Amino acid sequence: MVVLMGVNAIAGCTRAPPSCIACIIPRSCINPEDVDEFMKQDCNESAEAVIKRLDEQHQKYKFMELNLMQKKRRLKTQVPDIKSTLDIVKHNVSKQENGKPLDTQFLLSDQVYAKASIPPTSKVSLWLGANVMLEYELQDAEALLTKNLSAANSALKQVSFDLDFLRDQYTTVEVNMARVYNWDVKRRQALASSSTVSS
């Protein structure tokens, strides 16, 4: 029996990643091309209130971005772990077929390795994380790791897409905040100039 590490959270996850987190991320609800018309709406009592609402939305987008960046970083470390574990399982399958023992070195602690000769085996134990290790037949382990690698790669692509979508949303919010602020500055200047003309 051979013990392998590196499957982690993807192993045992039979659920596919959501097809689109953009369904969960709220779209930037306003894009005021005509700010005058937008500000006349009942829900927009003042420019300060609208800017405050937009700033809250911007902060939510930034928080979601932080979470997605952490997820992307975690997936980027899991993919190589799963690949290396899959390579080891494939190597064990080939060694099992020719019946020769596998000579290797394994890590005991930082920078300390030990030599080992592993006889051909038909089983391997995969470390799933959270103090869980399961024993699999080599073919079952290879199938599980292949499935997990595929799931991790597709999740990584989806997270990248979601990050792009999220960046578009908070950029739109930033532009909207600037538009509303500029509208308010122009409105105040017009009020100031009309009050000086009337006096």
Side-chain angles (χ1 to χ4, degrees), residues 68-85:
L68 286 173
M69 291 296 288
Q70 289 173 346
K71 184 176 181 179
K72 185 176 183 177
R73 210 173 302 117
R74 187 182 72 243
L75 285 169
K76 279 188 169 185
T77 59
Q78 280 182 346
V79 168
D81 288 347
I82 296 171
K83 277 183 185 175
S84 66
T85 304

Side-chain angles (χ1 to χ4, degrees), residues 7-195:
V7 181
N8 289 337
I10 298 293
C13 179
T14 56
R15 184 168 48 106
S19 62
C20 179
I21 200 167
C23 303
I24 299 168
I25 299 171
R27 273 191 189 273
S28 176
C29 57
I30 63 169
N31 191 0
E33 294 297 327
D34 185 5
V35 181
D36 288 325
E37 284 299 314
F38 172 75
M39 291 304 291
K40 288 179 185 174
Q41 294 175 3
D42 292 337
C43 61
N44 301 326
E45 56 214 41
S46 69
E48 290 81 18
V50 172
I51 290 173
K52 182 179 178 188
R53 193 172 66 229
L54 289 172
D55 187 49
E56 288 172 1
Q57 191 175 12
H58 186 260
Q59 294 303 318
K60 290 176 187 176
Y61 288 147
K62 286 295 192 177
F63 178 73
M64 287 183 231
E65 180 188 35
L66 178 68
N67 288 335
L68 286 173
M69 291 296 288
Q70 289 173 346
K71 184 176 181 179
K72 185 176 183 177
R73 210 173 302 117
R74 187 182 72 243
L75 285 169
K76 279 188 169 185
T77 59
Q78 280 182 346
V79 168
D81 288 347
I82 296 171
K83 277 183 185 175
S84 66
T85 304
L86 181 59
D87 290 343
I88 293 169
V89 169
K90 286 179 180 178
H91 187 72
N92 279 340
V93 168
S94 69
K95 286 292 185 180
Q96 181 189 22
E97 291 168 358
N98 68 18
K100 293 182 181 176
L102 172 67
D103 293 323
T104 185
Q105 295 181 352
F106 61 93
L107 183 69
L108 288 177
S109 66
D110 290 338
Q111 313 239 340
V112 178
Y113 291 87
K115 290 183 180 179
S117 181
I118 303 170
T121 181
S122 63
K123 296 186 181 193
V124 65
S125 292
L126 297 178
W127 179 260
L128 301 178
N131 293 328
V132 176
M133 183 179 286
L134 290 177
E135 185 175 273
Y136 290 92
E137 295 291 325
L138 285 174
Q139 291 74 20
D140 294 338
E142 186 175 355
L144 174 70
L145 289 168
T146 302
K147 183 184 84 173
N148 289 344
L149 182 60
S150 173
N153 282 327
S154 64
L156 190 58
K157 287 177 187 172
Q158 186 62 47
V159 166
S160 295
F161 172 80
D162 293 339
L163 278 168
D164 289 342
F165 176 79
L166 195 59
R167 286 185 186 112
D168 289 345
Q169 296 308 303
Y170 73 71
T171 301
T172 302
V173 169
E174 289 169 351
V175 169
N176 290 338
M177 288 170 64
R179 285 179 176 162
V180 171
Y181 179 80
N182 291 340
W183 174 86
D184 190 43
V185 168
K186 287 179 184 177
R187 183 186 61 85
R188 289 180 189 202
Q189 287 174 346
L191 285 174
S193 65
S194 66
S195 66

